[in-house]
Amino acid sequence: MSFDTSGLTSFTNNNSHTVTLTGTAAQVNTALATLTYNSDDGFTGTDTVTLNVSDNGHTGTGGPLSSGNQTFHVGVVPQVFYIDNSAAGSHNLGTQADPYTSIAAFNAANPAGSGDYVVLEHGTGTYSEASGINLANGVNLIGGSHNLQFTNPVTGQVVTANTGSGTDPVIHVTGADNGIDLLGTSGHTITGVSIDTSASTGIGISDDGNNVGTVTMQDIVIKTSSGTGMSFTHGGTITLTGSNNTITSTTGTALDVENTQIGSSNLILKSITSSGGSNNGIILSNTGTAAGNGGLHVTGDGSTAGSGGTIANKTGADGSTTQGSGIYLNNTKDVQISYLAMHDFQNYGIVGTNVTGFTLGNTTVTGTNGTSVGGIGEGDVYFTGLSGTASVTNSTLTGAAYDALHVFNDSGQTLNRITVSGSTFATNSAAGNASNDAIGFQATGGTFNATIQNSTVTSARGDMFQLNLLGTVSSDLVMTGDNFSNTNQNIVSGGGGITIGGGGPTNDITLTYDIANNTIKGALGAALGISKGTGSAGSFTGTITGNTIGTQGSGGSGSTQGYGIAVFEDGAGTSSTTITNNHISGVVGGIYTLVHNGAAGAMTAVIQGNTVDTLDSTNGFAGIYVQNGSGTGAGGDNNLLDATIGGAGALRNNVDLGGNTGLGLVAGIFLEQEGVSKTGLIGTPNYGGAPYDFTAVANYVAANNTVTGTGNGAVATQAIGDPTHAAGGGYFGGAQFMVATSGGVAAASPTTGETHLTQTELNSVVSTAIAQWAAVGASASQLAIMKAVTFSVATLGGSVVSAESNGHITIDASAAGHGWFVDPTPSDNFEFAHAATATDLFADPTSAAAGHLDLLTAVSHELGHVIGLADDTTPSHAGDLMYINLTDGERRLPSAVDASTASPHVMPTQDGTSPQVMANRDSFDFASFVQAPSQTTTSRVDPGASTQTMSDLFSGQSNAAAPWWMSHEAVFAAMGGTPTDSHAQATFHHDLVV
């Protein structure tokens, strides 16, 4: 505080926090009227002033007198300094009336302290000076085009420090300096200024090597030449809001944020441009991924292509994180890029590591992108570690040296879903190119869900789409309404289509898929191949429906070397595929399903309503090929297959062999059984013949399907098998198994359950199961069939928990490791207190049934097979008794609909061999059915190899383990065939042909 002390007797400490004034009452009153209050530097808010008036110890009437402490409050708002280069005659005092007339004058005076504001008035519009402005610790900057107002904290009145007028002032730096340098760590607010350092090498806004605290920016326009547009690399938290922020740099990095947090209000830019040179266009590294962090949002104008800016023509050494790429992302989140035009990068268009949340919309990444095709290669958009949710919408990614869109999750990330919609993808398609996949996804753990919809792929030397899963992974794939048409001039042998799968002995993959209404053309290998590896706890379940593969009447238009649709299961675990209403043309073979390599692996295949035509009758084998097992003899495969092939009316498959003019086709529909594997044939009715009555099998399939164009050695349907072992394998009527799956109700206090089921325990629930069927209206004949069934306990292997064959039901001893709940009171459902539906009950976590499979449900399910009900694999029917999967803590009951729709099938009996059995396989020449690869080198990598690395998947390097089909080909060669060294999804080989 300070006073005018004229006329006072004396005073002390004037211009301080505590002042003493001495004089007569009149003199003191005069001095008090001159009070000037100056707050401490940086202080804003409410201050209290205390006044005490006394007679200074003098006595008179009444003795010494004092007023006591009297207070009043002062509202303090920030101090404001002004710069105006149009203010003629100013004395450069920094006030509104006498502003600084240049940035240089302000910098020289350096008057502002923490919390103060600097108003850069519009002035002449542009401040062309050798140096930019320096903002000391905590000093804020606002353009004169914006209002600056404060509220008096005492009176509530609005204090107007500046009334906005004119356009944003431009800081035009002519020397080698930055536009704005931020000093100190107390943070800044910057609003409504344009910075132009294009005449020099300066940065637009720089943290000047400081942890800047919290910096809030709004309405910023930056233009640079070789300098970075906005550089924050030393710590703090920054945000940029407003709808018209832009950064334009010629060869410099437009935005560089490293080791600095992006606040929850995000960095919002309408456009961002950087073209030429070597510096990346955008660098975001370690910007924070916590809940309170935001990300970079490039918005464009919301409708115009390229309105989000242009990043292009970057060169740099391979592996660089600062050069050669359009956008580099590392340990950042919520990156949203829209309406950006990108092209021609020596490394990547966009490359990211450990990114949480990513959106690319209405953006083009075109030209030529990447030069390296080694390792994971280089291309358009690459991520290693992408989590949260991601999307690519209405965007174009072409010209990739290796992959166009590449996501590799290698640390158990949870990618809730990446959605690709309305976008176009292509790799380099020129003659002799060494590109790989248009869309390549891989995960070695965690969760990886993906949707590809209404998109177009036009070129891929490897695969148009690949999903490769390794480790313990949960994945859901939706692929619908897409147009895959491969025009690449150098497709590798066995490639060029869609490949989905993965998993070796230690890889337990849970995959669900829905592949519908797509068009697929131009593959060399399988147009669509799905392959489950050997993981014992793995499970693949999905539908393939309504797809058009190839063009009817155009040979090789679907695939020149492979099948249209191929679904494989290797060894243990379970898979379920529903292949319906697809039109497959211009391929070597139409549909191929295979479960093999033993380990009690179990597959359910529903093949109905498909049309197959325009087959390669020279190199082809069959229109539809259903194979169970590949190892022959008593020690051969012990796989289980439930197959529904065709049916009545629209369910019939239609296969046209075209007269077999090339003499290579064997059958329209071909079934094969090897080892002790069991194939259950399901329909209305189920197959009723003997296990090795191959004529009966062929006739059963023929009755449910339509095959035309036979002749020249090709028949409508054919079945073969392997009777050279003890009884147990072959073809049977009805479903053969039920499987355990993850989920359900976990126990609050886990127990092992019954893992060594006894015959007595099994028998204890049988009568109750039959009684359940009786209660819902099972007929007397149905109940009689159930009562005639025999039961046993065995180790079924894999995830199979129960199986029915020829009126005998086998229950797995350990419930596939889940442990059985053997209900001591099976006639009530007391332990299952929570009803999802009337027939689908769940246990409470505290119940003894929690964490285990219900034995009663398994028995009731298998009794349903005995009276003619087939397994149900439709996910929406998961609560029905006949659904093939069973979860912990779940009890499913038969319904009246089940009883009324069941149709008892005839129990077949084994009656020896069939005339169609080949006694000496070595005498048969398989060579005519093998399509040699079209080139001697291949970049294909087996998705089922157990030790496959990322380089294997995306580069075809040779460090993968031996692929699973090699053992199959070894058997094939031993029987007289000529195996080819080609991709798993190339021409699929048949190891036993009659």
Side-chain angles (χ1 to χ4, degrees):
M1 294 178 293
S2 63
F3 299 87
D4 182 350
T5 59
S6 302
L8 289 174
T9 302
S10 63
F11 63 90
T12 60
N13 302 322
N14 195 22
N15 199 31
S16 71
H17 285 189
T18 303
V19 181
T20 301
L21 306 177
T22 303
T24 66
Q27 292 171 336
V28 170
N29 285 335
T30 299
L32 289 174
T34 66
L35 169 63
T36 298
Y37 173 89
N38 293 290
S39 68
D40 291 336
D41 192 30
F43 173 78
T44 59
T46 301
D47 201 1
T48 301
V49 177
T50 302
L51 175 67
N52 191 335
V53 180
S54 71
D55 58 9
N56 204 23
H58 296 285
T59 59
T61 304
L65 298 176
S66 172
S67 67
N69 290 340
Q70 305 296 314
T71 61
F72 64 92
H73 302 288
V74 179
V76 182
V77 297
Q79 189 173 13
V80 181
F81 297 89
Y82 297 83
I83 305 172
D84 187 346
N85 65 357
S86 66
S90 173
H91 298 88
N92 282 299
L93 301 179
T95 65
Q96 195 166 25
D98 247 341
Y100 296 109
T101 57
S102 67
I103 291 173
F106 170 81
N107 286 342
N110 191 25
S114 181
D116 293 345
Y117 279 77
V118 178
V119 175
L120 185 66
E121 297 286 9
H122 173 77
T124 63
T126 300
Y127 291 76
S128 292
E129 304 191 28
S131 299
I133 191 168
N134 299 326
L135 299 181
N137 192 26
V139 175
N140 307 298
L141 175 65
I142 185 169
S145 54
H146 286 61
N147 292 332
L148 179 60
Q149 295 178 320
F150 309 106
T151 300
N152 188 316
V154 174
T155 66
Q157 292 179 319
V158 174
V159 179
T160 299
N162 187 71
T163 300
S165 63
T167 58
D168 292 346
V170 178
I171 302 173
H172 180 223
V173 180
T174 59
D177 194 26
N178 302 325
I180 299 176
D181 275 319
L182 304 180
L183 311 177
T185 61
S186 296
H188 308 269
T189 296
I190 305 171
T191 303
V193 293
S194 294
I195 301 105
D196 183 355
T197 67
S198 60
S200 69
T201 59
I203 297 171
I205 300 177
S206 170
D207 65 8
D208 203 45
N210 298 297
N211 180 319
V212 292
T214 298
V215 177
T216 302
M217 296 172 285
Q218 180 179 356
D219 300 336
I220 304 295
V221 174
I222 298 173
K223 182 179 180 181
T224 71
S225 178
S226 60
T228 301
M230 187 180 290
S231 177
F232 291 89
T233 60
H234 295 85
T237 300
I238 63 173
T239 61
L240 174 61
T241 59
S243 58
N244 290 295
N245 303 301
T246 65
I247 301 176
T248 302
S249 179
T250 303
T251 60
T253 296
L255 176 66
D256 186 0
V257 182
E258 301 179 58
N259 305 310
T260 300
Q261 303 286 298
I262 298 176
S264 60
S265 296
N266 305 303
L267 294 179
I268 302 173
L269 286 158
K270 181 179 181 180
S271 71
I272 186 164
T273 293
S274 175
S275 295
S278 60
N279 297 313
N280 292 346
I282 297 172
I283 298 174
L284 301 179
S285 181
N286 298 319
T287 65
T289 58
N293 287 110
L296 170 65
H297 297 182
V298 179
T299 65
D301 65 7
S303 62
T304 306
S307 60
T310 299
I311 300 178
N313 299 311
K314 299 295 183 179
T315 61
D318 289 347
S320 174
T321 61
T322 60
Q323 296 182 339
S325 297
I327 300 174
Y328 172 75
L329 307 172
N330 174 57
N331 197 31
T332 188
K333 69 173 286 190
D334 190 25
V335 177
Q336 301 181 22
I337 306 295
S338 298
Y339 297 97
L340 186 63
M342 306 180 68
H343 61 86
D344 297 295
F345 303 99
Q346 191 166 349
N347 293 336
Y348 305 94
I350 300 173
V351 58
T353 303
N354 297 325
V355 176
T356 302
F358 175 79
T359 298
L360 188 70
N362 300 285
T363 291
T364 57
V365 185
T366 57
T368 300
N369 303 309
T371 56
S372 173
V373 295
I376 65 172
E378 295 172 342
D380 295 332
V381 178
Y382 269 61
F383 288 98
T384 300
L386 180 62
S387 58
T389 58
S391 66
V392 178
T393 306
N394 299 329
S395 295
T396 299
L397 279 64
T398 59
Y402 207 60
D403 292 345
L405 176 61
H406 166 120
V407 180
F408 172 35
N409 281 356
D410 60 344
S411 298
Q413 292 91 348
T414 297
L415 181 57
N416 293 322
R417 187 161 298 277
I418 178 170
T419 300
V420 177
S421 181
S423 297
T424 299
F425 303 87
T427 66
N428 178 5
S429 61
N433 76 87
S435 67
N436 192 46
D437 296 337
I439 302 175
F441 294 160
Q442 180 176 7
T444 61
T447 299
F448 197 113
N449 298 327
T451 295
I452 314 295
Q453 59 190 13
N454 304 320
S455 293
T456 299
V457 176
T458 62
S459 170
R461 178 174 176 264
D463 286 316
M464 291 189 282
F465 174 85
Q466 180 169 177
L467 174 63
N468 190 50
L469 304 170
L470 301 169
T472 300
V473 186
S474 172
S475 180
D476 176 70
L477 173 65
V478 176
M479 183 179 289
T480 180
D482 301 299
N483 184 359
F484 296 92
S485 184
N486 202 343
T487 61
N488 194 284
Q489 299 183 59
N490 195 32
I491 301 173
V492 298
S493 179
I498 297 170
T499 300
I500 300 162
T506 61
N507 303 151
D508 292 328
I509 314 300
T510 300
L511 170 67
T512 56
Y513 56 88
D514 181 4
I515 302 172
N517 305 314
N518 304 285
T519 297
I520 308 171
K521 299 178 182 179
L524 264 67
L528 171 60
I530 299 175
S531 176
K532 181 203 164 296
T534 57
S536 60
S539 173
F540 280 28
T541 303
T543 59
I544 303 169
T545 186
N547 300 285
T548 299
I549 298 175
T551 301
Q552 187 173 12
S554 177
S557 57
S559 171
T560 58
Q561 294 181 0
Y563 275 75
I565 297 172
V567 181
F568 287 178
E569 177 181 345
D570 184 22
T574 61
S575 62
S576 174
T577 187
T578 300
I579 305 171
T580 58
N581 303 317
N582 302 284
H583 193 152
I584 305 169
S585 306
V587 293
V588 174
I591 298 170
Y592 184 12
T593 66
L594 166 66
V595 53
H596 74 148
N597 279 350
M603 173 186 281
T604 297
V606 177
I607 306 171
Q608 294 178 316
N610 301 285
T611 298
V612 178
D613 56 48
T614 321
L615 294 171
D616 181 347
S617 61
T618 300
N619 299 295
F621 174 58
I624 298 174
Y625 182 15
V626 178
Q627 181 178 355
N628 184 6
S630 58
T632 62
D637 290 350
N638 63 342
N639 298 101
L640 300 173
L641 170 65
D642 283 351
T644 303
I645 307 171
L651 299 179
R652 301 176 74 86
N653 297 295
N654 292 276
V655 179
D656 181 9
L657 299 181
N660 193 25
T661 56
L663 306 179
L665 296 170
V666 172
I669 303 175
F670 191 94
L671 278 70
E672 178 178 351
Q673 174 273 332
E674 300 282 6
V676 293
S677 59
K678 296 180 179 180
T679 297
L681 297 175
I682 301 169
T684 306
N686 295 329
Y687 169 66
Y692 293 109
D693 187 343
F694 303 126
T695 299
V697 172
N699 290 339
Y700 174 78
V701 173
N704 290 284
N705 298 275
T706 300
V707 179
T708 58
T710 57
N712 285 323
V715 298
T717 59
Q718 188 167 359
I720 63 173
D722 182 10
T724 60
H725 57 78
Y731 297 92
F732 301 88
Q736 297 298 300
F737 58 87
M738 185 183 196
V739 298
T741 190
S742 59
V745 180
S749 300
T751 61
T752 58
E754 181 54 79
T755 57
H756 298 86
L757 185 70
T758 66
Q759 188 68 45
T760 300
E761 289 172 322
L762 172 57
N763 294 342
S764 70
V765 303
V766 170
S767 60
T768 300
I770 296 174
Q772 285 182 342
W773 280 100
V776 296
S779 67
S781 60
Q782 290 173 330
L783 295 175
I785 293 172
M786 293 182 192
K787 293 175 181 178
V789 171
T790 57
F791 292 81
S792 65
V793 178
T795 299
L796 297 179
S799 298
V800 178
V801 296
S802 60
E804 183 272 332
S805 177
N806 300 329
H808 181 82
I809 293 174
T810 305
I811 303 296
D812 185 67
S814 69
H818 291 240
W820 290 111
F821 169 64
V822 183
D823 196 341
T825 57
S827 59
D828 64 52
N829 301 314
F830 174 78
E831 293 85 359
F832 299 87
H834 306 285
T837 68
T839 59
D840 190 22
L841 312 178
F842 287 89
D844 189 85
T846 60
S847 167
H852 307 300
L853 300 184
D854 180 39
L855 178 61
L856 180 59
T857 298
V859 172
S860 296
H861 173 98
E862 298 303 333
L863 288 174
H865 290 318
V866 171
I867 61 172
L869 292 175
D871 275 324
D872 191 339
T873 60
T874 305
S876 61
H877 299 168
D880 294 348
L881 176 64
M882 299 311 298
Y883 189 66
I884 194 169
N885 294 341
L886 182 62
T887 63
D888 288 342
E890 180 184 18
R891 170 166 290 179
R892 300 204 299 262
L893 308 172
S895 69
V897 173
D898 293 330
S900 64
T901 57
S903 176
H905 60 264
V906 177
M907 304 292 183
T909 58
Q910 297 179 6
D911 63 352
T913 62
S914 162
Q916 295 188 25
V917 176
M918 189 188 313
N920 183 359
R921 294 175 188 160
D922 291 339
S923 65
F924 188 82
D925 180 11
F926 290 82
S928 63
F929 298 106
V930 178
Q931 170 72 24
S934 61
Q935 57 190 61
T936 58
T937 60
T938 175
S939 291
R940 307 308 304 135
V941 178
D942 169 35
S946 61
T947 59
Q948 183 183 29
T949 65
M950 187 62 173
S951 63
D952 298 331
L953 174 62
F954 292 110
S955 73
Q957 302 303 306
S958 61
N959 59 334
W964 59 259
W965 68 87
M966 291 303 293
S967 61
H968 186 73
E969 292 184 350
V971 173
F972 176 73
M975 293 188 292
T978 305
T980 61
D981 182 14
S982 59
H983 183 265
Q985 308 295 350
T987 299
F988 291 95
H989 306 128
H990 23 272
D991 57 7
L992 181 60
V993 180
V994 177

